[in-house]
Amino acid sequence: TKPGGQYVPSMNTLSQIGVEIPGRKPGDPVMTPAEYSRANTIYFERCAGCHGVLRKGATGKALTPDITRELGYEYLHDFINYGSPAGMPNWGTSGELTEEEVDMMARYLLLDPAQPPEWGMPEMRASWKVILPPEERPTEKMNDIDIDNLFSVTLRDAGQVALIDGNTYEIRAVIDTGYAVHISRLSASGRYLFTIGRDAKVTMIDLWMDPPATVAEIKIGTEARSVETSKMEGWEDKYAIAGAYWPPQWVIMDGETLEPLKIKSTRGMIYDEQTYHPEPRVASIVASHYRPEFIVNVKETGKTLMIDYTDLKNLKITEIETERFLHDGGFDSSGRYFLVAANARGKIAVIDTKEDKLVTLVETGGQTPHPGRGANFVHPVYGPVWATSHLGDETVALIGTDPEGHPENVWKVVQTLYAMGGGSLFVKTHPESHHLYVDAPLNPDPEISGSVAAFRIEDMTQEEPEYTVLPIAEWAGIAEGQPRVVQGEFNREGTEIWFSVWNSSDKESAIVVVDDKTLELKHVIKDPRLITPTGKFNVYNTRNDVY
Ligand code: DHE
């Protein structure tokens, strides 16, 4: 059982609930049921995110037996062990999997995948808990926290979030969430914080309580990555939505209690080939500021759904053909255009959330764009731009986003920056900032994965601007392990940026705070409770889509 409840069905569970256990074929590798079950758990925890539960591939390659048997055991073993510069982690040499586990996973991949069970309304309702009903909650803020400058920090392997005061760097609360919690989002009012675990558990935290605490929770599937809340004027705090990887579906919930109201499957046709896909996973979700709609990105079918939440009985969904495989994205600085990575095709899809239409697809020129929510700033030559880095190489693409003021640059890559190396996940800036920051946590070189590149926006008049390397892991002063530095997040004022120094769960991790103006170290947050910090979400910036 994992913290936050069991979400990985064991072979026993699968057979008890009548799921077919993959049969043995001639030439199958020998695996004991115990090994298969352990390999299954590792697969769902570590691999399914990129390769898919049914192993049909997305961010990672397809791994169905027709392919894996062609590749063979040795190839699979070495790939798992050493990783690849294109983004496959070096599970073996990093020490995250033992030699025995690498061998077991290589054998496991030669077998047919197991299919986990469905998760509909009865399962959701059974998992739904209102810990403190709305009428028993405080009617005003009961604590002295400056909520706008509070950071919700993912403690990945602890299945918790730490709420850290952005003014004092003090941990104000550590709250249990789902397993390997993925992101935090805020209600429009800023009062409620929602987290989603990889085990698809949504946790709703009331930031007015002293200390802030969980008021409701629900499991919306067995694997998930995204949660969001209604932001349109008149609909603030009314609904929450969460998207699942497994089963492939999304659910709209009551914004005060998490009561599940409407579930819809995303299974269906791929936008271009119009062939059926059994596992189109829900990737990023954002809330429109122009319409009472959620913007839901379905990875494998390459569709962006504009879900009108004004009438859940007579539901209207505008289905936009975008591109495969949709992953993460964010708004431009005006909040009108949503830019989402179609990472299998090296493209960014631009969606006009006012007109509910695809504007265009922009080829980034790099391998596997991975923007997080991206970064918006005013370029000294090209005007307003939005940036993405890439998982597969060192490039950062700057895309013009101003149709009115700079029509000649709009939806084009106006400049390519060259950062430290491949393995980048997130870029970040802030309207008040002087810099664009680019991480590279998945780079195999520890010096690169432990640092961040800071480009001065002023210097972008040069064709190939230089960057300053910030040795964040070194600044953290951590003696043991090989920590990766990941995901910058600004404070409310936009004067300092926080980076996670993400070590393994048995070793010390930290958060390093950098002064944006001077690029100097400002503070190191260390605490035994800070286990595997990754994502950080400043309440004000997250609530208002400032990035
Ligand atoms: Fe993430 C965002 C999926 C691995 C940290 N990640 C997202 C989003 C998706 C996603 C769909 C967008 C959510 C949204 O905006 O609604 N992430 C996946 C995966 O499928 C993947 C590749 C593999 C997996 O098995 O989960 C994956 N992600 C990771 C990590 O290993 C990271 C680095 C560490 C961790 O905490 O697990 C990680 N993902 C993040 C973060 C964000 C995120 C910090 C939000 C960034 C932001 O600034 O908005």
Side-chain angles (χ1 to χ4, degrees):
T1 304
K2 301 275 147 228
Q6 172 153 348
Y7 81 104
V8 179
S10 69
M11 286 308 289
N12 280 343
T13 329
L14 290 175
S15 61
Q16 277 158 20
I17 55 169
V19 173
E20 195 186 322
I21 298 171
R24 180 173 292 251
K25 296 197 197 96
D28 275 359
V30 179
M31 283 194 101
T32 64
E35 276 186 319
Y36 189 89
S37 166
R38 262 184 64 220
N40 218 17
T41 304
I42 293 176
Y43 184 83
F44 283 117
E45 285 180 1
R46 312 264 191 165
C47 320
C50 287
H51 298 281
V53 166
L54 303 179
R55 296 201 221 135
K56 291 194 174 285
T59 309
K61 294 205 171 81
L63 293 171
T64 41
D66 52 321
I67 296 166
T68 54
R69 288 185 177 213
E70 194 71 32
L71 296 172
Y73 169 86
E74 293 295 336
Y75 179 93
L76 296 168
H77 178 277
D78 289 353
F79 222 79
I80 299 167
N81 199 37
Y82 299 111
S84 82
M88 169 77 175
N90 50 331
W91 295 107
T93 53
S94 70
E96 274 163 285
L97 295 183
T98 63
E99 170 49 38
E100 181 225 337
E101 284 169 337
V102 172
D103 157 65
M104 185 175 76
M105 293 314 290
R107 285 182 288 135
Y108 169 82
L109 291 179
L110 297 167
L111 297 169
D112 283 334
Q115 177 159 330
E118 296 300 315
W119 192 274
M121 191 54 92
E123 291 81 11
M124 281 194 205
R125 288 198 85 89
S127 74
W128 173 47
K129 281 188 211 129
V130 180
I131 295 146
L132 196 65
E135 59 280 11
E136 290 172 31
R137 294 177 200 160
T139 51
E140 59 188 74
K141 185 161 83 82
M142 303 302 285
N143 56 50
D144 63 352
I145 300 172
D146 171 9
I147 290 184
D148 267 352
N149 201 24
L150 189 71
F151 286 69
S152 175
V153 178
T154 297
L155 304 179
R156 190 185 186 280
D157 294 4
Q160 295 174 323
V161 290
L163 302 183
I164 306 185
D165 193 318
N167 303 331
T168 63
Y169 309 123
E170 226 183 299
I171 299 181
R172 302 297 296 251
V174 174
I175 295 175
D176 288 337
T177 57
Y179 170 74
V181 55
H182 211 89
I183 65 163
S184 295
R185 287 280 170 88
L186 272 298
S187 70
S189 73
R191 172 175 182 171
Y192 293 112
L193 177 78
F194 296 80
T195 66
I196 182 93
R198 273 193 175 70
D199 58 356
K201 185 172 174 181
V202 181
T203 305
M204 179 179 176
I205 298 159
D206 185 353
L207 298 178
W208 279 9
M209 287 163 67
D210 188 22
T214 301
V215 289
E217 59 184 41
I218 188 171
K219 234 165 101 59
I220 59 106
T222 45
E223 273 262 353
R225 299 293 183 280
S226 46
V227 64
E228 180 58 303
T229 67
S230 52
K231 296 253 174 83
M232 187 64 190
E233 222 184 302
W235 296 88
E236 293 94 343
D237 296 22
K238 179 101 176 100
Y239 293 124
I241 182 171
Y245 268 17
W246 190 269
Q249 63 194 21
W250 49 263
V251 54
I252 294 179
M253 297 158 284
D254 181 89
E256 294 220 295
T257 63
L258 292 182
E259 180 179 7
L261 302 173
K262 184 87 182 181
I263 310 170
K264 264 191 80 75
S265 172
T266 51
R267 289 184 174 106
M269 299 305 191
I270 301 171
Y271 89 94
D272 50 358
E273 283 170 7
Q274 308 206 25
T275 50
Y276 181 74
H277 198 291
E279 192 193 350
R281 297 175 289 169
V282 177
S284 48
I285 305 182
V286 293
S288 172
H289 302 279
Y290 277 86
R291 292 168 180 251
E293 288 179 345
F294 290 122
I295 301 161
V296 171
N297 295 289
V298 186
K299 195 185 279 283
E300 282 81 1
T301 48
K303 292 175 182 173
T304 300
L305 309 176
M306 314 297 275
I307 301 164
D308 182 330
Y309 49 70
T310 55
D311 184 355
L312 300 185
K313 278 261 174 271
N314 304 284
L315 194 69
K316 287 199 205 78
I317 301 178
T318 305
E319 182 183 291
I320 300 178
E321 292 183 359
T322 35
E323 183 55 291
R324 292 187 253 174
F325 293 112
L326 299 180
H327 192 69
D328 50 354
F331 288 103
D332 76 314
S333 56
S334 75
R336 171 168 172 177
Y337 299 97
F338 177 69
L339 295 97
V340 57
N343 58 18
R345 299 270 164 95
K347 288 182 187 154
I348 296 289
V350 183
I351 289 148
D352 182 347
T353 67
K354 192 172 169 197
E355 302 292 335
D356 276 8
K357 279 195 176 125
L358 177 71
V359 179
T360 190
L361 294 167
V362 183
E363 203 135 344
T364 64
Q367 199 186 343
T368 321
H370 193 285
R373 285 167 289 171
N376 288 294
F377 60 94
V378 180
H379 190 285
V381 181
Y382 303 109
V385 294
W386 178 91
T388 181
S389 59
H390 294 85
L391 203 53
D393 60 39
E394 75 280 29
T395 63
V396 179
L398 307 186
I399 297 171
T401 59
D402 183 15
E404 246 109 84
H406 296 81
E408 70 286 6
N409 301 329
V410 78
W411 316 132
K412 286 183 195 144
V413 176
V414 291
Q415 189 173 22
T416 299
L417 309 177
Y418 297 88
M420 298 179 299
S424 175
L425 291 178
F426 302 108
V427 287
K428 186 68 75 173
T429 187
H430 183 279
E432 298 300 321
S433 166
H434 302 270
H435 296 99
L436 173 70
Y437 298 86
V438 185
D439 70 6
L442 298 187
N443 195 287
D445 178 344
E447 244 178 68
I448 294 177
S449 66
S451 303
V452 163
F455 289 89
R456 226 184 135 67
I457 292 170
E458 249 174 40
D459 294 346
M460 292 186 192
T461 48
Q462 298 158 26
E463 201 174 317
E464 272 192 36
E466 301 276 311
Y467 55 84
T468 306
V469 177
L470 310 179
I472 304 286
E474 199 186 303
W475 283 348
I478 288 172
E480 270 187 290
Q482 207 197 89
R484 302 173 193 275
V485 171
V486 68
Q487 203 243 12
E489 174 74 338
F490 270 89
N491 63 339
R492 156 87 167 89
E493 298 298 325
T495 53
E496 58 186 42
I497 181 164
W498 296 24
F499 291 100
S500 299
V501 182
W502 170 24
N503 214 340
S504 56
S505 58
D506 57 343
K507 301 206 169 65
E508 187 178 50
S509 287
I511 289 172
V512 167
V513 182
V514 177
D515 185 291
D516 178 69
K517 215 172 199 162
T518 63
L519 296 184
E520 279 167 13
L521 171 66
K522 197 161 176 188
H523 192 79
V524 178
I525 309 176
K526 281 192 188 172
D527 190 290
R529 291 171 292 175
L530 273 190
I531 297 164
T532 58
T534 55
K536 296 162 298 305
F537 303 86
N538 172 275
V539 167
Y540 182 87
N541 295 338
T542 307
R543 168 155 85 96
N544 295 296
D545 291 305
V546 177
Y547 37 76

